[in-house]
Amino acid sequence: SPLLRALAALHQPVAARRPAMVMTGGDEPPNVVPGKAAAAVDPEAKDDEEDKHSHRSDDTVWESAEGKDEDDLIENTVGQSKQDTLFIKLEHFVSKQFGKKGSEKRPSVTLEIVEQHRSEEDFWCIIDGKVFDLGPFLRGEAKHPGGKSILTRQLGLGGQSADERFVRWHHPSGNTVRRAPDYFIGDLEGYVPKAKAKNCCSIS
């Protein structure tokens, strides 16, 4: 469908959406030996390699976990993947502030509007069909515990579709799901969740 194709485009890093560099005459791409084909670069491998060497100690924030007593009383999560549990708790806290999905109180936003917010100071991302504004962190109006660079890397390497990196870097018992409603813009109109795949592991 047009919406699915548009969402796939949002998942592309910003660099992938830029026009290709035009070369004339005997120009060679940078760092390419003449006569040899350039080796393919795996974006995920590059991303993981950057994670190993990333230094964020000057930009990260140490925090105590909020709501520890509540987490101790939460329902059993055996059999749920980390993503399932994280998204369930994210929805729980968003709905507490904005009402249940589909209610009149809860805002929604179109894909066309979301696409207008993908600069280094005005960046909206999509997580589980929910749109969040990361701009305050990028402009220095709020402090992101993981530092600013992890957000700019999402924009540069992951695009606006942020499910994978959000799940990778956050835990369901962390503070993120409690604070996310403060940056919630609305539900993405027309969003349909992906079919769930079977998982080998779960959180207990």
Side-chain angles (χ1 to χ4, degrees), residues 14-169:
V14 170
R17 296 194 292 265
R18 292 173 182 155
M21 180 174 64
V22 177
M23 294 179 292
T24 60
D27 291 343
E28 289 285 353
N31 302 321
V32 174
V33 178
K36 291 187 178 181
V41 177
D42 181 357
E44 288 298 325
K46 180 181 177 182
D47 193 11
D48 292 337
E49 186 63 25
E50 288 186 9
D51 288 341
K52 293 178 184 177
H53 302 289
S54 180
H55 300 287
R56 304 189 182 95
S57 59
D58 61 333
D59 196 26
T60 54
V61 180
W62 186 90
E63 296 182 321
S64 296
E66 299 175 0
K68 292 179 287 187
D69 294 338
E70 181 182 354
D71 283 332
D72 289 340
L73 299 175
I74 197 167
E75 64 276 7
N76 196 330
T77 58
V78 173
Q80 290 179 358
S81 68
K82 177 186 178 184
Q83 176 172 302
D84 288 342
T85 308
L86 191 58
F87 287 174
I88 287 170
K89 292 196 70 175
L90 183 63
E91 172 60 28
H92 168 72
F93 286 104
V94 169
S95 63
K96 282 180 69 174
Q97 186 166 329
F98 293 94
K100 292 188 177 182
K101 192 177 294 186
S103 67
E104 291 184 4
K105 177 183 175 182
R106 186 151 159 166
S108 62
V109 60
T110 65
L111 186 61
E112 290 74 20
I113 297 297
V114 174
E115 288 179 323
Q116 296 172 16
H117 300 269
R118 54 186 183 192
S119 72
E120 292 187 357
E121 290 193 347
D122 180 21
F123 179 32
W124 291 6
C125 71
I126 304 167
I127 302 169
D128 190 35
K130 301 172 183 64
V131 180
F132 296 92
D133 182 8
L134 302 184
F137 299 110
L138 296 172
R139 294 188 295 269
E141 299 164 7
K143 193 79 171 177
H144 185 268
K148 179 179 176 179
S149 63
I150 200 169
L151 303 180
T152 57
R153 291 177 66 224
Q154 169 62 46
L155 175 61
L157 297 172
Q160 288 180 285
S161 182
D163 282 5
E164 189 274 330
R165 291 178 68 83
F166 181 80
V167 172
R168 186 200 302 186
W169 291 111

